[in-house]
Amino acid sequence: GVKTGTYEDTWLSTTEWRRAASFLDSHVARSQVGEEHYRVSDGSSGRFLDLIMQFIEPIPSLDTMTESDWRIRRDKLEGVDCIRVARGPEGPNGELETGHSNVYWFDSKNLLLKAYISGLEIQFRNPQPFGGIQFARKILILKDGKGAMVVNIKDITAPKAISAASFKMKGHEWQRAFTAETR
């Protein structure tokens, strides 16, 4: 049957934010306050929740790698002109090793349409405006072309007045191994 979880992202700035996801008996939260990072994970679905966070905000941090690691080219996706941004192994005719490559397709309005991450295809559907930005309200995750998960974004709201100090999770300080782990 269908199982429901929650995801909450509170963003004040690039150095003051908190993300949390819950599913069944599990909870994962990550946050940053200044240069300090925090992470807490409990329950049996922690890895699953980490993937959910990666799918909802799939673009890696800008300081994760050098610009030369990325290849950019014009492409078509389901008849739509777009820009493909990719890193990872690529065959002689431009075909991607989707299990080992990260690939993103953007339309002419810079809207993310599709991505390949960790061997999964992620499709971003039903974009709706919020605060001058388009957000996908449905995210389809496919494995080997078959549906694996659907993420429905039911509500997007502006945060209430909140202090960045509330993002600190005492006892859960976290030293990142890679810059991309902040996402």
Side-chain angles (χ1 to χ4, degrees):
V2 174
K3 304 236 183 328
T4 301
T6 61
Y7 171 84
E8 184 175 320
D9 193 324
T10 307
W11 179 270
L12 298 179
S13 73
T14 57
T15 60
E16 298 173 322
W17 53 266
R18 182 178 192 274
R19 293 187 180 97
S22 297
F23 181 72
L24 300 175
D25 68 338
S26 301
H27 177 77
V28 171
R30 292 189 304 230
S31 67
Q32 180 177 349
V33 180
E35 294 299 315
E36 297 174 13
H37 296 269
Y38 301 87
R39 183 179 191 284
V40 62
S41 178
D42 54 42
S44 59
S45 300
R47 173 106 173 89
F48 170 73
L49 291 173
D50 280 330
L51 281 173
I52 296 297
M53 288 184 176
Q54 190 178 10
F55 299 152
I56 290 175
E57 188 180 350
I59 309 300
S61 296
L62 296 176
D63 57 350
T64 311
M65 59 212 58
T66 61
E67 293 160 356
S68 63
D69 291 337
W70 293 93
R71 292 174 307 286
I72 302 171
R73 76 175 202 197
R74 294 187 187 285
D75 203 355
K76 279 206 184 278
L77 182 65
E78 298 174 6
V80 175
D81 289 330
C82 54
I83 299 294
R84 185 189 85 167
V85 180
R87 73 176 175 93
E90 191 173 39
N93 298 319
E95 67 275 5
L96 298 163
E97 291 184 27
T98 54
H100 304 292
S101 300
N102 284 11
V103 189
Y104 307 92
W105 284 266
F106 298 89
D107 70 8
S108 62
K109 296 177 184 169
N110 299 321
L111 186 64
L112 179 61
L113 302 175
K114 181 172 156 180
Y116 278 108
I117 302 169
S118 301
L120 299 170
E121 177 182 339
I122 300 103
Q123 299 176 1
F124 300 88
R125 303 288 170 96
N126 193 18
Q128 307 223 339
F130 177 80
I133 299 171
Q134 294 285 327
F135 283 92
R137 297 302 290 258
K138 179 176 266 192
I139 302 171
L140 305 173
I141 295 106
L142 296 95
K143 174 76 173 156
D144 300 324
K146 295 182 180 154
M149 180 187 331
V150 176
V151 176
N152 287 305
I153 312 299
K154 293 183 178 181
D155 192 27
I156 300 174
T157 60
K160 298 175 181 147
I162 190 167
S163 163
S166 68
F167 298 157
K168 292 185 178 186
M169 296 184 273
K170 297 291 183 195
H172 297 283
E173 291 78 5
W174 177 46
Q175 191 65 27
R176 302 175 306 157
F178 303 101
T179 306
E181 289 177 334
T182 61
R183 300 309 248 184

